[in-house]
């Protein structure tokens, strides 16, 4: 399976900055398709710009969230149909910043994943424990509970999701899970997927949390780490391209 490197720009960017960043990334790839799959997830207002800039080239694009509803009176939300209209490939769901600051529960995250899949967009389902949960020995239970809600909702489509293990204590903090710590959790998630789908090997399980040009290769060398979800380092073309190179 090809690895998948997905950038999460979070709430960063501008028309001018996005154009410069994307053109530096495309220049860096030199017109060649990388050996791994690559995607960028931008804030909703810039998705149309991204669709234009990336225009069927080697980098796909995605949203950072999607509504759990199909359409209607949900002010401020973006539906999967709207994303598909522009050719969106991925939508991050259940990022810890959405769980933490927007009160998204496992049930909401599962509904979003289900809605994305039904609308033809691949959900990148984020799971991960807080520092207190890790220190309390609850890491496995937390990630399994978070993934179980999604598996329950998407049922026979489980092999079509992407999972991202993102320990909350490692996101944007510069603290990375060691390759062994990450692999241990990825193996747990793979086993959980194996009990839910005949093709657990088809599910990309990404690692996210301060992945950068220096630590990417050792993380990506782990048997159950199938790629990365990259926050801060996806805002710097050279760093992001080094991670893409490490995945090939
Ligand atoms: C993220 O936002 O998903 C993330 C992993 O961020 P960072 O790489 O900055 O830790």
């Amino acid at each position: 399976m090809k690895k998948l490197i997905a950038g999460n720009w979070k709430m960063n960017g501008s028309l001018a900055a996005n154009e410069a960043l994307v053109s530096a990334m495309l220049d860096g790839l030199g017109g060649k398709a990388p050996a791994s799959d690559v995607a960028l997830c931008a804030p909703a207002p810039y998705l149309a710009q991204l669709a234009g800039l990336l225009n069927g080239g080697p980098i796909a694009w995605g949203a950072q969230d999607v509504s759990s509803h199909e359409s209607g009176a949900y002010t401020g939300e973006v539906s999967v149909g709207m994303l598909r209209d522009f050719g969106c490939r991925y939508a991050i769901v259940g990022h810890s910043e959405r769980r933490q600051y927007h009160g998204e529960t496992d049930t909401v995250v599962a509904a979003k994943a289900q809605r994305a899949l039904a609308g033809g967009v691949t959900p990148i389902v984020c799971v991960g424990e807080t520092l207190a949960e890790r220190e309390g020995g609850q890491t496995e239970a937390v990630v399994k509970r978070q993934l179980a809600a999604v598996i329950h909702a998407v049922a026979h489509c489980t092999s079509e999701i992407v999972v991202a293990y993102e320990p909350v204590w490692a996101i944007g903090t510069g603290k990375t899970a060691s390759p062994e710590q990450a692999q241990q959790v990825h193996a747990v998630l793979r086993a959980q997927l194996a009990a839910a789908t005949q093709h657990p090997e088809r599910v990309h399980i990404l690692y996210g949390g301060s992945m950068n040009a220096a630590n990417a290769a050792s993380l990506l060398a782990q048997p159950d780490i199938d790629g990365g979800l990259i926050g801060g380092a996806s805002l710097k073309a050279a760093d992001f391209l080094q991670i893409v190179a490490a995945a090939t």
Side-chain angles (χ1 to χ4, degrees), residues 8 10 95 97 166 170-173 208-211 229-232:
N8 172 19
K10 312 196 190 204
H95 192 281
E97 288 153 14
E166 298 211 310
I171 297 178
T173 58
S210 299
M211 195 190 267
L229 183 56
I230 320 296

Side-chain angles (χ1 to χ4, degrees), residues 54 65 77 90-91 95 101 104 107 115 137-138 149 165 181 189 197 204 208 224 228 245:
L54 296 172
D65 186 26
E77 300 233 337
Y90 299 100
H95 192 281
Y101 307 138
E104 291 192 8
T107 309
R115 183 69 66 189
Q138 294 170 279
Y165 169 54
Q181 278 175 321
L189 296 170
T197 167
H204 281 92
D224 289 301

Side-chain angles (χ1 to χ4, degrees), residues 3 5 165-167 169-183 186 206-222 225-234 236 238-247:
K3 295 208 190 287
I5 303 297
Y165 169 54
E166 298 211 310
W169 49 271
I171 297 178
T173 58
K175 286 186 201 143
T176 316
S178 69
E180 296 71 27
Q181 278 175 321
Q183 167 58 28
H186 280 235
L206 314 182
Y207 169 78
S210 299
M211 195 190 267
N212 58 37
N215 61 28
S218 56
L219 286 158
L220 293 168
Q222 299 301 310
I225 300 188
D226 308 315
L229 183 56
I230 320 296
S234 71
K236 296 178 206 131
D239 292 28
F240 189 68
L241 289 172
Q242 274 185 267
I243 297 171
V244 170

Side-chain angles (χ1 to χ4, degrees), residues 9-238:
W9 287 353
K10 312 196 190 204
M11 198 173 72
N12 294 292
S14 67
L15 286 172
N18 302 345
E19 190 169 347
L21 182 56
V22 168
S23 74
M25 287 180 182
L26 292 173
D27 284 354
L29 291 175
K32 282 177 276 166
S36 58
D37 290 325
V38 182
L40 294 171
C41 298
Y46 296 126
L47 293 178
Q49 182 199 18
L50 214 50
L53 291 171
L54 296 172
N55 193 23
I59 304 180
W61 60 273
Q64 296 174 7
D65 186 26
V66 64
S67 177
S68 61
H69 304 285
E70 192 171 355
S71 65
Y74 301 101
T75 301
E77 300 233 337
V78 174
S79 76
V80 69
M82 295 168 188
L83 296 176
R84 274 308 301 164
D85 244 359
F86 287 90
C88 179
R89 177 82 196 279
Y90 299 100
I92 297 171
V93 300
H95 192 281
S96 64
E97 288 153 14
R98 298 220 47 97
R99 292 181 191 260
Q100 196 178 344
Y101 307 138
H102 300 272
E104 291 192 8
T105 61
D106 292 343
T107 309
V108 167
V109 173
K112 288 184 171 193
Q114 185 184 28
R115 183 69 66 189
L117 272 183
V121 166
T122 301
I124 300 177
V125 176
C126 299
V127 299
E129 81 288 2
T130 63
L131 186 59
E133 287 164 342
R134 174 162 282 267
E135 287 174 350
Q138 294 170 279
T139 299
E140 240 184 72
V142 169
V143 299
K144 284 171 88 171
R145 188 202 73 223
Q146 291 172 332
L147 183 57
V150 173
I151 290 173
H152 180 73
V154 306
H156 65 278
C157 295
T158 295
S159 65
E160 292 166 39
I161 67 173
V162 171
V163 177
Y165 169 54
E166 298 211 310
V168 180
W169 49 271
I171 297 178
T173 58
K175 286 186 201 143
T176 316
S178 69
E180 296 71 27
Q181 278 175 321
Q183 167 58 28
Q184 202 175 13
V185 178
H186 280 235
V188 166
L189 296 170
R190 184 84 67 201
Q192 188 177 4
L193 290 164
T197 167
Q198 284 183 313
H199 297 290
E201 76 288 353
R202 286 190 195 159
V203 181
H204 281 92
I205 309 179
L206 314 182
Y207 169 78
S210 299
M211 195 190 267
N212 58 37
N215 61 28
S218 56
L219 286 158
L220 293 168
Q222 299 301 310
D224 289 301
I225 300 188
D226 308 315
L229 183 56
I230 320 296
S234 71
L235 295 168
K236 296 178 206 131

